[in-house]
Amino acid sequence: MSGFNKVVASYDEALAGLADGMTVMVGGFGLCGIPEGLIQKVKEMGTKDLTCISNNAGIDGFALGMWLENRQIKTMISSYVGENALFEKLFISGEMEVILTPQGTLAEKIRAGGAGIPAFYTATGYGTEVAKGKDTREFDGRNYVLEPSLTSDYSLVKAWKGDTMGNLVYRMTARNFNPMMATAGRITVAEVEEIVEPGELDPNNIHTPGIFVQRLIKGSFEKRIEQRTVRSA
Amino acid sequence: MALNREQIAQRVASELRDGYYVNLGIGIPTLVANYIPEDIDVMLQSENGLLGMGPFPLDDEVEPDLINAGKQTVTAITGAAYFSSAESFAMIRGAHVDLTVLGAFEVDQNGSIASWMIPGKLVKGMGGAMDLVAGTDNIVVTMTHASKSGQSKLLESCTLPLTGVNCIHKVVTDLAYLEIHDGAFHLRERAPGVSIDEIREKTAGQLIVEGEVPEMRLG
């Protein structure tokens, strides 16, 4: 069984081998479902020239906003980056390359990458700037754009529970990009709220089977809320 | 009188049907949720991975793991489902969502839409908008008919970077409800008290007015 024990004891071990210039996927939608401790650790390591694939870029001073402050990202691939003033500055000054990608296309590029599919056709973005320089093709009278898939050197994902074998379960909308990113990483590191023994998670309800996870670490999460919105009773 | 934001949302709500799965964009489209007719059931899809979005939580119900596509805290209704972003966009791109409502900067007479980028201003990204307009045929765009300086947003051809081409067929503005086909805007309803002349004046694209154009019914 020990060959299947994915648990690591420290963030050093969790991110061992991460080097300058690598491609890193980071799960989450806004600040929901982000691997907080792993992001913090990469900031402390100071790894540079990263290609970072994440739906958003955090906020000023928190989450991926910390990598921006540290100038660790060379290229950012995201669908929406609205909540970050520093991001705008780095983008406009040309210090950081930004590849804006439609959210569904981004999700599918990662899914395809993890599934061994090099590219796929989608109608999304046909006739727009997103399609510039890409192959297009007509199927049944409709036009599609050929989109290459994405993989990573390291995928940093966040799950709710993981067993020691790396089987993962996500909670509510904190799932988002995490399952696809887990499949697309050469090394996938999962940071979870709780580590349980094999058998404690129902095999019928595993979201990410352990084959996709190389390292598992128990994190502690602030779970900061970006837009706290309530109704009155 | 031109419609306010709430009234635009009210008019869009009359496009809802019992059993619809609906994606509401940020801004005016979000307000449509307040005007779902009481005698029908709809399920709201939030593209970050929730089908069956409920109202905002009470203060003691706030849950950081449960947000909408605008990153606001929300609730889930009975019968809701959570899923990944890939599965979410399978619903959207795969045309399983019955109705999408989203805002725009410009729409043109061929049904192209510009909604995500103004060159020279902050570029925030398209989020899921390009996927949404590539999905269902049943899209309602909400917008003001003209800018504050009086420039029409219903154009012969969009001037801003596009979100999608030839994909929009219904527009609800503060002045009118229009349909787009055969390379023209077709005026179907006027906001109460708004004249055809005013709509004509504020529509830069080709506008076709057929017969008596009724006033909108709200609520």
Side-chain angles (χ1 to χ4, degrees), chain A residues 142-177:
Chain A
R142 195 168 181 210
N143 292 305
Y144 296 82
V145 184
L146 184 65
E147 290 282 1
S149 64
L150 290 168
T151 56
S152 72
D153 295 304
Y154 281 72
S155 283
L156 313 184
V157 305
K158 191 267 169 178
W160 178 29
K161 294 179 183 179
D163 68 21
T164 58
M165 298 177 78
N167 294 304
L168 304 179
V169 174
Y170 307 95
R171 186 166 179 272
M172 300 177 146
T173 56
R175 189 180 316 186
N176 55 64
F177 282 82

Side-chain angles (χ1 to χ4, degrees), chain B residues 128-196:
Chain B
M130 286 192 182
D131 306 281
L132 283 159
V133 300
T136 176
D137 270 342
N138 195 13
I139 303 168
V140 178
V141 168
T142 63
M143 60 199 299
T144 54
H145 212 97
S147 70
K148 283 182 183 129
S149 58
Q151 296 275 33
S152 178
K153 298 181 184 180
L154 277 60
L155 306 174
E156 186 182 339
S157 182
C158 288
T159 63
L160 295 169
L162 296 176
T163 307
V165 292
N166 311 340
C167 52
I168 305 301
H169 304 294
K170 297 175 179 177
V171 183
V172 176
T173 75
D174 53 340
L175 303 182
Y177 168 64
L178 310 99
E179 292 173 359
I180 303 172
H181 54 83
D182 301 317
F185 294 101
H186 297 254
L187 180 61
R188 295 294 182 224
E189 298 170 17
R190 297 173 291 125
V194 171
S195 70
I196 290 176

